[in-house]
Amino acid sequence: MILPSCPAAAGAALLARDPVMQALGLRLLESEAGHAAVELQVQPAHLNATGVVHGGVLFTLADSAFAIAANNEGEARWAAHAAIEFLRPARAGARLRASACRVAPGLFDIAVEDEAGQTIALMRGRASRAR
C-alpha cells in the first residue's frame, strides 16, 4: 500500500481505507510523525452483555491509533505484537480517545482515556516493516 508522505494525509488515508475503523465510527483527531489520536463516541452496539464497552472494541480503538501512528510516515508497517491492559470499564455514552506515541523504533505506547481523562486501557505495540 502506498501512503502519502505527509503524516496528516497518511492518517486520513488510512482511516478512509479501513472498513473496521469506519464501522466503529472512529474519528481521526491527530496524525503526526510517530503519533496519532483517534476518538470513539460509545454507542449501544459497542457494549458487551454486562453494559460496558466490549474489550474487543477497546482493543480495536487502541490498535487503530497504533496503526495510524506506525504508518503515517509513508512506509507501510504491520503489527508484530500488541498487548493490552484493561484498567477500568467504559460505559455507554462515553467519548473515548486513544493516543499512540512511538517510544522507540517500531515500539508504541497507546493510552485509551475517557472524556474525564481517566485511563481506561494501556497498550504496547510493536510494528515491523511490511514485506
Side-chain angles (χ1 to χ4, degrees):
M1 165 175 40
I2 298 172
L3 297 169
S5 58
C6 168
L14 284 162
L15 180 63
R17 293 183 198 174
D18 193 308
V20 173
M21 290 186 207
Q22 292 174 24
L24 281 177
L26 300 187
R27 187 168 74 93
L28 181 63
L29 300 175
E30 300 170 20
S31 181
E32 301 167 2
H35 169 77
V38 295
E39 181 179 76
L40 171 69
Q41 177 65 51
V42 176
Q43 304 295 321
H46 300 135
L47 305 179
N48 65 21
T50 65
V52 299
V53 177
H54 192 285
V57 171
L58 290 173
F59 186 95
T60 303
L61 172 62
D63 186 56
S64 297
F66 168 37
I68 294 170
N71 285 283
N72 67 9
E73 294 181 86
E75 185 174 1
R77 296 181 182 276
W78 294 329
H81 177 78
I84 194 165
E85 184 175 357
F86 301 109
L87 303 175
R88 63 178 38 89
R91 307 208 184 274
R95 184 176 306 273
L96 302 177
R97 175 188 174 106
S99 298
C101 187
R102 182 175 48 225
V103 295
L107 191 63
F108 295 80
D109 282 344
I110 306 95
V112 177
E113 297 179 338
D114 65 14
E115 62 276 4
Q118 290 191 65
T119 304
I120 303 299
L122 295 171
M123 175 189 269
R124 175 156 276 189
R126 185 171 48 81
S128 61
R129 287 192 175 104
R131 296 183 191 148

